[in-house]
Amino acid sequence: MLARHLDPIVAIATAPGRGAVGIVRISGKALTPIIQTLCGRSLLPRQASYLPFQDAQGQVIDQGLALYFPAPHSFTGEDVLELQAHGGPVVLQVLLTRCLEAAAEVDAVTSQLRLPGLRVAQPGEFSERAFLNNKIDLAQAEAIADLIDASTETAARSAARSLTGEFSKEVQTLLDKLVHLRMLVEATLDFPEEDIDFLKQADASGQLQRLQSTLAAVMQRATQGAILREGIKVVIAGQPNAGKSSLLNALAGAELAIVTPIAGTTRDKVSQLIQIDGVPLHVVDTAGLRDSHLPGIDEVEKIGIERAWGEIESADAVLFLHDLTRQSTPSEPEVAAAYRAGDALIQHALTDKLPKATPVIDVWNKSDSAPADLPLETIACDHAAVVISAKTGAGLQALRQQLLHVVGWQSAPEGVFMARERHVQALHEVASQLTRADEQLSARQPALDLLAEDLRQAQRALSQITGEFTPDDLLGEIFSKFCIGK
């Protein structure tokens, strides 16, 4: 534990702005002297007391509730004092300042500071102390931030499941099975002269296979939870006037982007957070893609096209929008040919620029205006394809479901717990180590020392999820992203 973790801390625990109630929270050891100073009397544990909060001159700052939670029966595992006042930002700031002043005052009886070292808490420091004092594990601590940041009801419910320890229980079950298997292997290494083959008698191979099966199920749920937490970045791409802005508006249910028949109307990205079946999607409308060297394209549109490709390259999924009305125009065949050639160039660029794992959905727009006899081969493509009308809404539901499918969303919301990318990576590392262990165990003459090391590394990776083997720099990075006061 670092030296700063021994300091008493104080912070405003409610969100910035005005509200009915605001909370100032103190956590540390031996809070009795400062409680007496701030509240004018001692407090009964876990009972709300209505009283005035006074400044150093005895003037009333506000009237409110004071609650005292003695260690270890508190959120942080330390003594905790909560002062609940009216939720005005000035009132709370004055009350916070009073806490710092009172801590620096000298106790008349002991001639010592009432709470030496009291300082304003860093982001996430209350939750960090709850973790360090074994009140919650690291996955539960992260779930606190995820619950606060949840952008959909489904994400909030999944974060709540992780906060109650559902994810941690799954990890602990895997750990228990893994430790038992390690014990068998270590026993075989410790007693090589024994005639009994511990591994075969204990069905070590079967245990390992069952462990891998359980791990696969947890990985599937964790992957879905990571999608819920991070959301999906979906970029709409295509030639000018294909209907990209209309599609964004249709998906968002609001007029977010300007729609005109003029080519190059969208000059910069327009983003909107939407949800499909509780899954958050960050949908980005981009400038129309075309050769920036063509005459009539100004410098602003060139920058817009460059930024569009930047957004596309960082997308989790791309909606490649095509205009059905320009696929076949008998009166102007050269126009249709030029349009199809433009789509082909974009397709080639997508293949070059995008990672192979990034899904692309070909979206054929303006079905309401397209010729009824448009040949099906006109819209043939290598990717998943959906025919829609952004104007009438036809095909939008099919597009939404196709989006969820291509990004890997599978689970029912009730079966998903919130997870982070680091959790998913740790589980993949466990799977990799167990695969190596299985190869060793299946060999004609297993190298038991290597098998034991594979299992040890698997346990270490799995323990990083709950924080048992987590380096301090990672803890600092995780908790620094929390809000102050939490």
Side-chain angles (χ1 to χ4, degrees):
M1 184 176 290
L2 301 177
R4 68 178 181 85
H5 295 139
L6 302 177
D7 298 336
I9 54 175
V10 61
I12 298 172
T14 42
R18 294 176 173 82
V21 177
I23 299 174
V24 174
R25 176 187 293 153
I26 302 175
S27 180
K29 296 180 179 179
L31 298 188
T32 301
I34 196 169
I35 291 175
Q36 189 70 37
T37 300
L38 292 171
C39 302
R41 59 185 174 87
S42 59
L43 300 175
L44 294 175
R46 293 174 296 281
Q47 291 190 22
S49 300
Y50 182 70
L51 43 76
F53 304 132
Q54 298 178 338
D55 62 17
Q57 288 72 43
Q59 299 295 316
V60 175
I61 299 172
D62 195 4
Q63 297 269 352
L65 297 177
L67 293 101
Y68 170 50
F69 303 92
H73 305 296
S74 69
F75 172 67
T76 63
E78 303 172 331
D79 285 354
V80 171
L81 174 66
E82 286 194 357
L83 305 177
Q84 300 184 6
H86 291 94
V90 174
V91 173
L92 294 177
Q93 190 59 50
V94 171
L95 192 55
L96 174 65
T97 302
R98 175 56 186 150
C99 290
L100 294 169
E101 291 175 348
E105 292 178 4
V106 177
D107 190 301
V109 177
T110 64
S111 298
Q112 296 178 344
L113 296 180
R114 296 188 183 277
L115 193 60
L118 180 67
R119 59 175 173 79
V120 176
Q122 298 178 5
E125 195 165 2
F126 288 96
S127 296
E128 184 180 22
R129 293 194 176 194
F131 164 69
L132 293 172
N133 292 322
N134 298 316
K135 304 297 290 186
I136 54 177
D137 63 35
L138 190 55
Q140 288 175 295
E142 290 170 307
I144 294 172
D146 294 338
L147 183 59
I148 294 171
D149 294 336
S151 56
T152 69
E153 181 181 350
T154 303
R157 291 182 182 276
S158 297
R161 279 191 286 274
S162 289
L163 181 55
T164 59
E166 185 173 329
F167 183 29
S168 301
K169 290 176 183 176
E170 299 271 7
V171 172
Q172 188 59 51
T173 298
L174 287 168
L175 274 171
D176 291 343
K177 294 180 179 179
L178 185 53
V179 168
H180 185 263
L181 186 56
R182 278 194 67 193
M183 179 182 67
L184 295 174
V185 176
E186 297 290 347
T188 305
L189 282 172
D190 289 340
F191 304 100
E193 70 281 357
E194 294 289 339
D195 295 330
I196 299 174
D197 188 339
F198 290 105
L199 298 184
K200 289 184 178 179
Q201 186 180 42
D203 189 25
S205 180
Q207 288 190 42
L208 179 55
Q209 290 176 6
R210 289 189 291 273
L211 180 59
Q212 289 176 300
S213 178
T214 303
L215 174 64
V218 174
M219 285 178 61
Q220 195 271 339
R221 296 175 67 192
T223 301
Q224 305 304 290
I227 291 175
L228 271 183
R229 180 186 182 273
E230 305 292 342
I232 303 163
K233 181 179 178 180
V234 179
V235 177
I236 306 174
Q239 295 190 63
N241 285 347
K244 298 183 297 299
S245 298
S246 297
L247 178 56
L248 172 64
N249 293 342
L251 290 172
E255 295 297 320
L256 302 174
I258 300 173
V259 177
T260 76
I262 302 173
T265 298
T266 301
R267 298 299 187 97
D268 202 354
K269 68 175 184 179
V270 179
S271 304
Q272 178 65 21
L273 176 64
I274 67 171
Q275 61 169 300
I276 300 175
D277 293 347
V279 179
L281 274 73
H282 306 275
V283 183
V284 183
D285 176 28
T286 58
L289 302 176
R290 53 179 172 173
D291 187 350
S292 58
H293 299 291
L294 291 174
I297 297 181
D298 58 32
E299 191 63 28
V300 176
E301 187 176 354
K302 290 180 180 179
I303 296 173
I305 293 171
E306 182 179 348
R307 290 185 177 181
W309 279 114
E311 293 294 327
I312 291 168
E313 290 173 18
S314 63
D316 296 313
V318 175
L319 301 181
F320 183 9
L321 207 61
H322 310 268
D323 186 347
L324 281 172
T325 64
R326 288 191 277 176
Q327 294 297 313
S328 177
T329 51
S331 60
E332 297 179 291
E334 67 283 354
V335 174
Y339 185 82
R340 291 195 297 271
D343 272 2
L345 287 175
I346 295 173
Q347 176 59 67
H348 181 73
L350 288 173
T351 302
D352 286 345
K353 295 176 180 290
L354 286 179
K356 291 183 178 179
T358 303
V360 177
I361 301 177
D362 284 283
V363 182
W364 301 89
N365 189 28
K366 304 184 183 180
S367 61
D368 57 300
S369 303
D373 58 347
L374 188 66
L376 291 179
E377 59 269 17
T378 303
I379 60 172
C381 57
D382 297 330
H383 306 129
V386 181
V387 178
I388 69 161
S389 169
K391 182 178 180 180
T392 67
L396 286 182
Q397 185 57 26
L399 176 59
R400 295 185 181 101
Q401 296 307 311
Q402 183 68 10
L403 256 176
L404 294 182
H405 173 71
V406 298
V407 298
W409 178 253
Q410 300 170 0
S411 298
E414 287 71 21
V416 176
F417 39 69
M418 187 66 75
R420 296 188 172 201
E421 185 59 33
R422 79 169 191 91
H423 303 153
V424 176
Q425 291 177 0
L427 291 172
H428 278 292
E429 175 62 21
V430 176
S432 177
Q433 295 294 342
L434 292 185
T435 298
R436 292 193 185 97
D438 189 35
E439 292 171 353
Q440 287 292 344
L441 199 55
S442 302
R444 178 173 298 179
Q445 293 183 334
L448 295 184
D449 53 342
L450 296 179
L451 173 60
E453 178 63 16
D454 291 334
L455 295 178
R456 189 186 72 83
Q457 291 294 342
Q459 181 183 350
R460 185 177 183 85
L462 196 56
S463 297
Q464 287 180 354
I465 294 177
T466 53
E468 185 177 347
F469 293 116
T470 303
D472 288 338
D473 54 350
L474 178 58
L475 290 180
E477 180 182 349
I478 290 172
F479 287 106
S480 67
K481 293 180 170 61
F482 281 49
C483 54
I484 294 177
K486 199 64 182 175

